[in-house]
Amino acid sequence: MNRREFFAGATVATAFAALADLAFAQAGGTLGVLLLHGKQSRPNTPGLNDISSKLSGIGARVLVPSMPWEGQGWERISVTVEQVHAMIDGYVAQLRGQGAQRIVVGGQSLGANVALSYAVARQNVAAVVMLAPGHSPAYVSRTYPDVTGLLEKAAAMVNSGQGAQPFKGTDDNQGSKLSLNTTAAAYLSWLNPRGQAAMQAQAPLLPASIPLLMVMGRQDPAFNYNEANVYRPAAKNPYSKYIVVNAGHRDTDFAASAQVVSWIGGLPG
């Protein structure tokens, strides 16, 4: 290869790289991304901050709102999963109002759980991103003997029109027992092992039109569970992807931030 051919080839390669970067940025410009924080966590964690910043860098519109389960809010949560879905409708409308044409819903831990249930309920999102998904009503029921009876009591109250009455019940956050001061309807909504907050029940219902990204850390207590019981039943779309990083439950999002943004930016269509 002579010098002229070398520089011509280099120029073409540079042009292709620039076009690829432009296409990636243009794709990001049509996206609105809603990221939901985890149980007893907050919106401005290092991981969600890093993902949000990188997404903004490719032109995506991003919202990372405070959710009803922020900090100690979870222990007195008074809204149901369906009511949270209505809140998310409002955030999606904000993103569309900012020019987003395609909406990605995602989150960390409980936020990932709710992102899945929202996509199943609405079926009109471009993708779901689940980062160290958590909150397992089935695990809580197996672990704490009082929960089955509490759920039966909450269901009876809901069925008799007393769902808004105060209710105290057991929950868990990464192995730590919690006591929720809530309502019968809210407790039943979040702790029903076959309900909207039960990922293994929701996963098979995700439409094949919606791709799923799940990221799990090797040190996450649910590492050996979520791929088989949540990801595989939900990941019917060929663009779906399962990523493993060397991290724990609370820092998986930060460890995978570049891969998450690359996957979102590369969404087909």
Side-chain angles (χ1 to χ4, degrees):
M1 179 184 292
N2 61 39
R3 188 173 181 179
R4 180 178 296 176
E5 290 171 332
F6 173 81
F7 281 113
T11 301
V12 170
T14 302
F16 275 120
L19 287 171
D21 289 343
L22 177 61
F24 188 74
Q26 288 174 337
T30 70
L31 291 169
V33 184
L34 179 66
L35 298 173
L36 308 176
H37 62 79
K39 183 191 295 187
Q40 296 186 305
S41 186
R42 63 190 193 281
N44 60 336
T45 61
L48 294 183
N49 279 348
D50 197 41
I51 293 170
S52 176
S53 176
K54 286 181 168 72
L55 285 169
S56 296
I58 65 168
R61 280 70 168 168
V62 187
L63 282 178
V64 191
S66 172
M67 300 304 291
W69 51 83
E70 180 179 3
Q72 297 308 305
W74 174 252
E75 294 179 65
R76 54 182 182 273
I77 193 164
S78 60
V79 291
T80 65
V81 178
E82 286 186 352
Q83 289 171 322
V84 169
H85 289 172
M87 294 174 59
I88 294 174
D89 287 338
Y91 294 127
V92 169
Q94 286 185 44
L95 290 168
R96 293 198 185 280
Q98 295 171 17
Q101 298 172 23
R102 297 181 295 160
I103 303 298
V104 177
V105 290
Q108 188 269 341
S109 193
L110 178 60
N113 179 315
V114 173
L116 173 64
S117 69
Y118 180 81
V120 169
R122 298 296 187 263
Q123 302 195 6
N124 62 354
V125 301
V128 178
V129 175
M130 302 181 74
L131 309 171
H135 181 71
S136 172
Y139 169 83
V140 176
S141 290
R142 290 194 306 270
T143 304
Y144 302 101
D146 61 330
V147 171
T148 299
L150 287 167
L151 289 170
E152 291 173 352
K153 180 181 178 181
M157 290 176 68
V158 169
N159 291 335
S160 64
Q162 301 179 68
Q165 293 299 308
F167 192 90
K168 187 173 182 178
T170 300
D171 185 34
D172 179 278
N173 190 4
Q174 295 300 297
S176 297
K177 185 178 182 180
L178 301 175
S179 180
L180 306 186
N181 291 290
T182 179
T183 66
Y187 188 77
L188 182 64
S189 179
W190 291 102
L191 274 300
N192 181 353
R194 294 174 296 280
Q196 289 184 302
M199 292 183 289
Q200 81 280 4
Q202 294 295 301
L205 306 178
L206 187 70
S209 59
I210 301 177
L212 168 67
L213 172 66
M214 181 181 288
V215 184
M216 290 297 301
R218 293 187 185 278
Q219 287 78 54
D220 193 307
F223 177 71
N224 291 321
Y225 180 86
N226 280 343
E227 181 182 10
N229 295 282
V230 181
Y231 176 76
R232 289 180 188 167
K236 308 174 192 75
N237 188 284
Y239 190 70
S240 296
K241 189 171 185 180
Y242 181 81
I243 295 174
V244 174
V245 293
N246 187 24
H249 181 72
R250 291 181 173 87
D251 58 350
T252 286
D253 48 0
F254 186 80
S257 63
Q259 296 176 82
V260 170
V261 173
S262 177
W263 186 86
I264 292 174
L267 279 168

